[in-house]
Amino acid sequence: MNSIEKNIDNLKDYKYGFITDIENIRAPKGLNEDTIKFISNIKKEPKWMLDFRIKAFERLKLLKEPNWQKPKFPKIDYQDLYYYSAPKSMDDKPKSLDELDPKLLETYKKLGIPLQEQARLNGIAIDAVFDSVSVATTFKEELIKQGIIFCSMSEAIQKHSELVRKYLGSVIPITDHFYATLNSAVFTDGSFVYIPEGIRCPMELSTYFRINASETGQFERTLIIADKGSYVSYLEGCTAPMRDKNQLHAANVELIALDDAEIKYSTVQNWYPGDKNGKGGIYNFVTKRGLCKGKNSKISWTQVETGSAITWKYPSCILKGDNSVGEFYSIAITNNYQMADTGTKMIHLGKNTRSKIISKGISAGNSDMMYRGLVDISARADNSRNFTQCDSLLMGNKCGAHTIPYIKNKNSKSKIEHEATTSKISDEQLYYCKQRGLNSEEAISLIVNGFCKEVLQQLPMEFAVEAQKLVGISLEGSVG
Amino acid sequence: MESQIKLDFENFLNKEKFSSSQIQLKKNNFNEFIKKGFPNKRIEDWKFSDLNQIIQTNIKKLNFINSDIKKEDFEITTVKDFEHNKIIFLNGVILKVDFTFEENDKIIIQQNHNINEDNVENSLVSLNSAFVSNYVKFTVKKGYETKKPLIFYNYLTSDITSSALNIRIDIDLEDGSSLNVVDLSNQNLNNNFINLRQNFHIGENAILKKYFLDTGNSPNIKYIYNNLDLSKNSHLEYFILSSGSKFLKNDIICSLNNEYGSISLNGVINLDGEKHHEIKTVINHKDENCKSYQLIKCVLTDKSKGVYQGKIYVDNKAQKTDGYQLSRALLLNDQTEFNAKPELEIYADDVKCSHGSTSGNIDEDSIFYLMSRGLSYEQSKQLLVNGFLHEVLEKITDEKIKIFIKKLTGLENEY
């Protein structure tokens, strides 16, 4: 293999597939009450938190795994997983970034996430989650000045227990579906955000998730509360090492927007997708739900899904407050043997509520892509409006692209519009680009980026650049 | 109910003389139904229409066997608008088969047909197979184009009530033949459950035009299961007028098995009162260069409920597929409800598939436009609704039948 070929080969591989050699503390394998007590204990949680977990666990015993989804997978043995894994050096939590294990800092540097604040010029506050614990949160001081709370979930449970207790489980109750309930029982860490009344968060808040340890499930929990008249933009990124075994990631994300508040939640999901033959990869079974609780509130989901062996999630909005707005912008790309079953739910309860869904799916190789969405306008939601557009792009005839929207309208004063198309990149488009000197891959990357533009535009600047590159890389080698 | 149906089934087997292999087949189907029961909303295909509940609330005690029905004094009225061939069912039993307008040896009619084993994952089809006694199978011979349309009259007498009727018709169009079929039923004021199954095989270059009409007002609960197989270069035109029964579900499964087949499927759901109608379609594109076009329009008033579930499936062999699906609903009243689930399942890349679905009330600007030209509010509304439905009716290619249907819907003089 000459050097050029090697270079190309490197490019096509998953860039973030390295493993950090670091000592871990783990809970004993298996899902039982002792594991839950172990987690609760090691995090020094108050009693109400442990009760919450135990209650969820009791409920979990009654629930069955759902099996209506399109991507089928071998049964997960929940007793064969580690539910808690943390770098040993975190045992005594470092007071500042200088005390952080250099290996961890090195890891995040490799991922392109410098945690040292001085190295950060563009002003994004980051919370980094490594396996089961949050390792560092940057720009804390500056945020605190404005009364913004941005910290790890464990810290919030200790220091802001009133807020956590009030809102945790209020959007995704512990009686929800199997994976959400599992998360409620064993969640380890995540981010907590509270924006006080009338504050516009001056910087993007960001969490970076990384699964490092093997045979570990990552169960993080994120809770974002935007008080009256506030605004926050939150970013989430994720990677994992390359391993032969499938790993489970079942997170819960709850958003609450009070009167006139706005939350913008962006995700670039790039978990390890498995190798070219579909071996390994992350099962990404995430429950994301936002509640527009107050009047004139707004929640906007933007997601770029390129990783994971199986992605199965429906970020949803419950539009409870009058005049509230829900938005969902999504790009999902599957290649090789990846499978995705993703979409959204827009539940209109309040009057004059509006929602917009733009979903772009691209499937290549032997992959399978599904948009599944629900638009439900209840009888009381007068003058509500929904617009949905789902476009799919197919590359090759071994992949599949599917669209299943559920459209329910119980209100004659409301309007729903839905449209979907499925097509491929036409030969004319390719010919046109090639004629102007682009090679096939560049041409496809250009066309695909154009196809996704509506969604990419919604992302904050830094993310948009990363996402655009990711779109190109994910599809490399899918043509020819 | 379970003991009643078992008793009825025993009586039914004793009454009719079946061969032992047929009895076994029927028993298998019967057990299949008993195992699953009437479909409820937990079953994905019945998500929006819980038949089990609908039957329980509308029919107290369902009989599966009907004896002692007076057939003699029932006056049969037929359509006078155009000349046609007839097959008349009275209370689920064949009364008359009349092909006066066709050449003798070109249409072959078989009755008392034995059922075959088929694997359909549908408890109502199992129920149909278990209870169907003599069904009609007829074949249109190769290259024969029928001269007049055929009407199926599905009549019920007034003394039949709370009964389940299982009816089955199989039609085979051989290569190069053509047939136009109309389904009609009379108004009946008793609650019955009608479970109709129709199988069509459309040969190469053959054309089938099928018009299913459900008009008037009746408290009946109907389920229509249609299975249509299309061969190379064949064409199907399917029209549904869904407005009469208390509950009606049209379940249509079309398979484009070979190249250059085409389907045009159009439906009107026009409801009032507490009616609940559903159209469910599955179009399987199994080979290259096939086309399918679907247009469903729905007008809902009072407390009615309309459902459309449509699926376009494209196999990985079916390149150059052109699939289109559009459903539009007008909700004219506060308590109406429209649910749609338009699905695409695609495994081939060189395809053009799209669907659209809208629901909402009449555009107030359009009403204003018409009112400013001198129409009253009600007139404007009526004109817009008629125009909305008219588009679907214009898809009908058989002129005589089109005029007949327009007359039935009261839309004949609008344009």
Side-chain angles (χ1 to χ4, degrees):
Chain A
M1 195 185 269
N2 65 32
S3 63
I4 300 171
E5 274 176 1
K6 224 176 204 168
N7 259 335
I8 293 171
D9 222 50
N10 278 343
L11 245 180
K12 282 179 188 169
D13 276 343
Y14 184 65
K15 201 166 100 191
Y16 309 106
F18 59 86
I19 299 163
T20 311
D21 191 14
I22 209 162
E23 262 193 284
N24 283 317
I25 297 177
R26 283 173 161 180
K29 244 184 196 179
L31 177 61
N32 50 46
E33 226 170 284
D34 291 338
T35 309
I36 292 165
K37 279 179 182 156
F38 178 92
I39 295 171
S40 193
N41 194 30
I42 206 162
K43 293 181 155 315
K44 301 183 184 76
E45 285 176 354
K47 190 168 178 299
W48 65 265
M49 196 61 241
L50 179 64
D51 292 346
F52 179 91
R53 289 173 184 276
I54 298 288
K55 215 171 143 193
F57 182 65
E58 289 302 319
R59 174 77 192 179
L60 186 70
K61 288 180 191 161
L62 307 173
L63 291 174
K64 272 196 196 132
E65 278 177 87
N67 66 350
W68 46 262
Q69 83 288 4
K70 178 97 185 162
K72 302 289 178 209
F73 51 87
K75 217 170 154 38
I76 298 168
D77 184 357
Y78 294 95
Q79 298 305 337
D80 197 32
L81 282 177
Y82 289 107
Y83 288 86
Y84 183 82
S85 164
K88 202 163 195 178
S89 58
M90 295 298 294
D91 216 3
D92 294 302
K93 208 173 168 155
K95 304 281 171 302
S96 77
L97 287 166
D98 303 335
E99 287 175 34
L100 211 63
D101 191 330
K103 266 189 187 155
L104 271 176
L105 282 177
E106 185 66 21
T107 305
Y108 279 93
K109 210 170 150 191
K110 267 195 217 170
L111 296 168
I113 330 250
L115 291 172
Q116 269 104 341
E117 286 171 56
Q118 60 269 33
R120 206 68 191 163
L121 295 171
N122 51 9
I124 296 179
I126 296 173
D127 181 24
V129 177
F130 194 86
D131 285 342
S132 300
V133 289
S134 163
V135 291
T137 310
T138 60
F139 281 106
K140 236 176 187 170
E141 309 292 304
E142 207 166 311
L143 293 169
I144 284 173
K145 273 183 213 155
Q146 301 213 35
I148 297 169
I149 304 168
F150 178 43
C151 61
S152 71
M153 199 66 195
S154 332
E155 198 182 326
I157 291 170
Q158 310 274 354
K159 292 186 185 162
H160 311 283
S161 72
E162 278 309 297
L163 278 172
V164 177
R165 209 171 168 177
K166 185 172 173 194
Y167 289 108
L168 190 74
S170 68
V171 187
I172 306 172
I174 52 172
T175 51
D176 220 89
H177 65 90
F178 183 85
Y179 295 104
T181 306
L182 176 66
N183 178 288
S184 294
V186 299
F187 75 87
T188 46
D189 217 335
S191 302
F192 174 81
V193 178
Y194 173 78
I195 315 287
E197 202 173 324
I199 296 289
R200 197 182 158 85
C201 185
M203 59 181 85
E204 311 274 351
L205 302 183
S206 168
T207 304
Y208 208 90
F209 295 103
R210 172 137 185 107
I211 299 179
N212 189 60
S214 60
E215 297 166 73
T216 314
Q218 194 181 39
F219 305 94
E220 88 256 1
R221 184 120 192 170
T222 299
L223 178 60
I224 300 177
I225 304 150
D227 214 325
K228 287 174 187 166
S230 65
Y231 167 84
V232 62
S233 167
Y234 183 89
L235 320 173
E236 176 196 84
C238 15
T239 56
M242 286 150 71
R243 293 191 191 276
D244 290 346
K245 269 195 174 171
N246 295 105
Q247 277 177 290
L248 177 67
H249 172 250
N252 278 8
V253 175
E254 291 175 281
L255 311 184
I256 295 138
L258 301 178
D259 289 358
D260 305 300
E262 181 176 347
I263 301 175
K264 194 173 155 72
Y265 194 105
S266 315
T267 311
V268 173
Q269 186 261 104
N270 190 20
W271 295 115
Y272 175 55
D275 66 7
K276 288 193 184 75
N277 303 312
K279 200 170 179 205
I282 303 281
Y283 289 162
N284 187 32
F285 303 161
V286 179
T287 310
K288 291 183 169 174
R289 204 171 294 163
L291 174 64
C292 285
K293 204 172 180 186
K295 281 176 190 153
N296 309 318
S297 54
K298 180 176 174 183
I299 288 178
S300 165
W301 297 99
T302 307
Q303 58 169 25
V304 178
E305 303 279 332
T306 59
S308 296
I310 300 174
T311 303
W312 184 12
K313 66 169 193 180
Y314 313 100
S316 334
C317 296
I318 302 166
L319 304 169
K320 197 176 168 196
D322 291 351
N323 314 322
S324 57
V325 179
E327 284 177 353
F328 176 76
Y329 299 95
S330 162
I331 299 172
I333 300 174
T334 53
N335 200 349
N336 300 321
Y337 286 87
Q338 278 175 273
M339 290 182 279
D341 191 331
T342 183
T344 185
K345 291 180 197 173
M346 292 290 173
I347 296 157
H348 293 253
L349 301 173
K351 291 187 173 66
N352 308 317
T353 48
R354 279 171 294 146
S355 64
K356 185 174 173 185
I357 301 167
I358 308 278
S359 165
K360 307 274 180 181
I362 300 158
S363 43
N366 291 292
S367 67
D368 222 6
M369 156 82 61
M370 158 90 76
Y371 168 85
R372 195 192 294 272
L374 167 73
V375 176
D376 189 347
I377 296 190
S378 71
R380 284 183 299 116
D382 289 350
N383 303 319
S384 294
R385 196 91 173 73
N386 164 267
F387 174 75
T388 307
Q389 189 187 343
C390 333
D391 296 327
S392 310
L393 202 59
L394 285 151
M395 295 185 179
N397 61 352
K398 286 191 189 114
C399 53
H402 321 300
T403 317
I404 306 186
Y406 293 80
I407 304 162
K408 295 178 171 182
N409 191 354
K410 285 187 187 160
N411 188 301
S412 64
K413 294 186 190 76
S414 298
K415 245 186 194 170
I416 302 181
E417 283 167 282
H418 171 99
E419 61 181 46
T421 61
T422 305
S423 56
K424 67 163 193 170
I425 295 176
S426 74
D427 293 339
E428 286 85 6
Q429 280 172 312
L430 274 181
Y431 176 72
Y432 183 89
C433 294
K434 279 180 169 172
Q435 198 194 28
R436 271 149 186 80
L438 300 176
N439 65 32
S440 310
E441 298 222 322
E442 284 168 336
I444 283 172
S445 173
L446 184 76
I447 294 164
V448 168
N449 267 309
F451 175 76
C452 302
K453 205 173 158 193
E454 270 176 282
V455 177
L456 288 172
Q457 273 172 347
Q458 299 295 327
L459 287 169
M461 254 292 270
E462 295 79 7
F463 255 38
V465 177
E466 190 190 331
Q468 221 169 59
K469 273 191 216 147
L470 210 55
V471 168
I473 290 168
S474 305
L475 289 170
E476 244 165 58
S478 63
V479 190
Chain B
M1 194 192 85
E2 207 173 299
S3 57
Q4 174 69 36
I5 182 174
K6 278 183 177 154
L7 203 68
D8 282 352
F9 187 63
E10 289 292 315
N11 289 337
F12 169 72
L13 287 185
N14 291 337
K15 201 179 81 178
E16 310 274 339
K17 300 280 173 281
F18 294 113
S19 67
S20 58
S21 62
Q22 281 292 304
I23 288 179
Q24 195 49 47
L25 256 178
K26 284 189 180 297
K27 277 187 175 163
N28 291 347
N29 275 301
F30 182 74
N31 292 334
E32 192 66 22
F33 174 76
I34 290 295
K35 206 172 78 189
K36 292 180 187 159
F38 284 110
N40 58 33
K41 66 180 172 205
R42 289 215 195 101
I43 296 167
E44 183 70 19
D45 289 347
W46 293 84
K47 203 177 173 66
F48 302 117
S49 313
D50 192 331
L51 186 69
N52 193 25
Q53 200 193 343
I54 289 166
I55 287 186
Q56 271 178 16
T57 46
N58 286 289
I59 304 174
K60 290 279 165 326
K61 185 169 159 270
L62 195 58
N63 302 314
F64 290 85
I65 197 163
N66 316 293
S67 42
D68 318 322
I69 300 159
K70 290 167 260 159
K71 286 178 191 169
E72 295 74 28
D73 49 357
F74 185 75
E75 193 191 329
I76 288 167
T77 49
T78 54
V79 173
K80 301 285 184 291
D81 298 66
F82 54 90
E83 290 177 320
H84 58 272
N85 303 301
K86 330 174 176 43
I87 294 182
I88 302 172
F89 283 89
L90 188 60
N91 297 335
V93 180
I94 303 160
L95 189 72
K96 194 175 174 189
V97 179
D98 174 8
F99 277 100
T100 13
F101 297 99
E102 308 302 334
E103 289 169 33
N104 260 339
D105 52 345
K106 294 297 184 189
I107 290 174
I108 293 165
I109 301 150
Q110 291 163 286
Q111 281 192 40
N112 281 324
H113 226 267
N114 287 339
I115 58 162
N116 298 322
E117 206 166 345
D118 47 9
N119 303 315
V120 184
E121 283 280 317
N122 182 327
S123 64
L124 295 175
V125 173
S126 306
L127 178 71
N128 188 293
S129 299
F131 276 102
V132 76
S133 56
N134 60 340
Y135 72 90
V136 196
K137 180 177 180 182
F138 72 89
T139 310
V140 181
K141 290 305 255 185
K142 197 168 174 176
Y144 183 71
E145 295 179 10
T146 49
K147 297 190 173 66
K148 299 286 173 198
L150 165 69
I151 300 187
F152 288 125
Y153 292 97
N154 192 359
Y155 282 155
L156 299 178
T157 53
S158 53
D159 56 351
I160 187 163
T161 181
S162 303
S163 294
L165 301 170
N166 294 288
I167 305 165
R168 177 166 168 181
I169 301 160
D170 283 17
I171 296 180
D172 187 2
L173 295 187
E174 289 190 353
D175 297 351
S177 61
S178 79
L179 178 70
N180 296 3
V181 183
V182 180
D183 277 283
L184 267 181
S185 50
N186 69 334
Q187 292 189 30
N188 170 284
L189 295 173
N190 298 317
N191 303 328
N192 292 299
F193 171 61
I194 295 153
N195 184 5
L196 172 64
R197 178 179 181 185
Q198 297 182 328
N199 292 322
F200 292 87
H201 175 263
I202 307 169
E204 272 183 35
N205 301 312
I207 298 171
L208 174 70
K209 295 180 182 176
K210 187 172 185 320
Y211 306 96
F212 179 88
L213 311 176
D214 175 68
T215 54
N217 263 313
S218 82
N220 287 323
I221 291 162
K222 284 185 190 168
Y223 174 70
I224 321 291
Y225 178 86
N226 266 292
N227 193 20
L228 303 112
D229 279 316
L230 283 86
S231 310
K232 192 174 175 177
N233 208 16
S234 58
H235 176 69
L236 167 69
E237 179 186 326
Y238 203 118
F239 175 84
I240 301 160
L241 174 64
S242 187
S243 81
S245 305
K246 175 79 177 56
F247 173 83
L248 170 64
K249 176 161 173 164
N250 259 292
D251 204 338
I252 299 156
I253 297 153
C254 302
S255 298
L256 290 152
N257 294 319
N258 214 321
E259 293 178 295
Y260 302 107
S262 58
I263 295 171
S264 160
L265 199 158
N266 305 298
V268 167
I269 299 178
N270 189 359
L271 303 180
D272 55 9
E274 289 184 22
K275 288 171 185 169
H276 175 164
H277 284 202
E278 171 168 345
I279 294 177
K280 178 173 174 291
T281 65
V282 177
I283 311 268
N284 293 314
H285 283 264
K286 291 187 178 165
D287 210 338
E288 292 184 8
N289 285 306
C290 290
K291 264 186 194 174
S292 68
Y293 179 96
Q294 295 177 67
L295 176 66
I296 308 291
K297 288 202 175 181
C298 188
V299 175
L300 304 170
T301 52
D302 301 335
K303 289 181 181 172
S304 58
K305 185 173 169 184
V307 181
Y308 170 64
Q309 298 194 67
K311 179 172 180 176
I312 300 177
Y313 172 88
V314 180
D315 195 87
N316 63 1
K317 274 194 304 198
Q319 297 290 5
K320 311 271 178 211
T321 288
D322 189 349
Y324 183 71
Q325 191 188 61
L326 178 66
S327 67
R328 302 188 63 187
L330 279 183
L331 282 71
L332 298 178
N333 222 308
D334 270 351
Q335 284 160 307
T336 53
E337 182 179 341
F338 179 70
N339 297 323
K341 187 181 154 205
E343 257 181 87
L344 298 174
E345 188 172 347
I346 295 164
Y347 294 97
D349 62 339
D350 193 4
V351 299
K352 214 171 79 186
C353 280
S354 54
H355 65 211
S357 175
T358 62
S359 65
N361 208 326
I362 291 182
D363 182 22
E364 287 296 325
D365 290 345
S366 309
I367 289 193
F368 175 76
Y369 179 89
L370 292 174
M371 283 175 79
S372 69
R373 270 147 189 81
L375 270 70
S376 73
Y377 184 83
E378 276 308 313
Q379 280 173 322
S380 315
K381 197 166 145 186
Q382 197 54 50
L383 187 65
L384 287 168
V385 169
N386 289 352
F388 178 77
L389 294 179
H390 208 264
E391 189 194 341
V392 190
L393 297 181
E394 283 304 321
K395 301 274 178 204
I396 298 168
T397 52
D398 186 310
E399 282 303 319
K400 278 182 185 150
I401 293 173
K402 181 154 87 182
I403 293 165
F404 174 68
I405 292 173
K406 280 185 178 175
K407 214 175 101 186
L408 274 181
T409 49
L411 288 172
E412 81 262 51
N413 295 325
E414 288 298 333
Y415 296 90

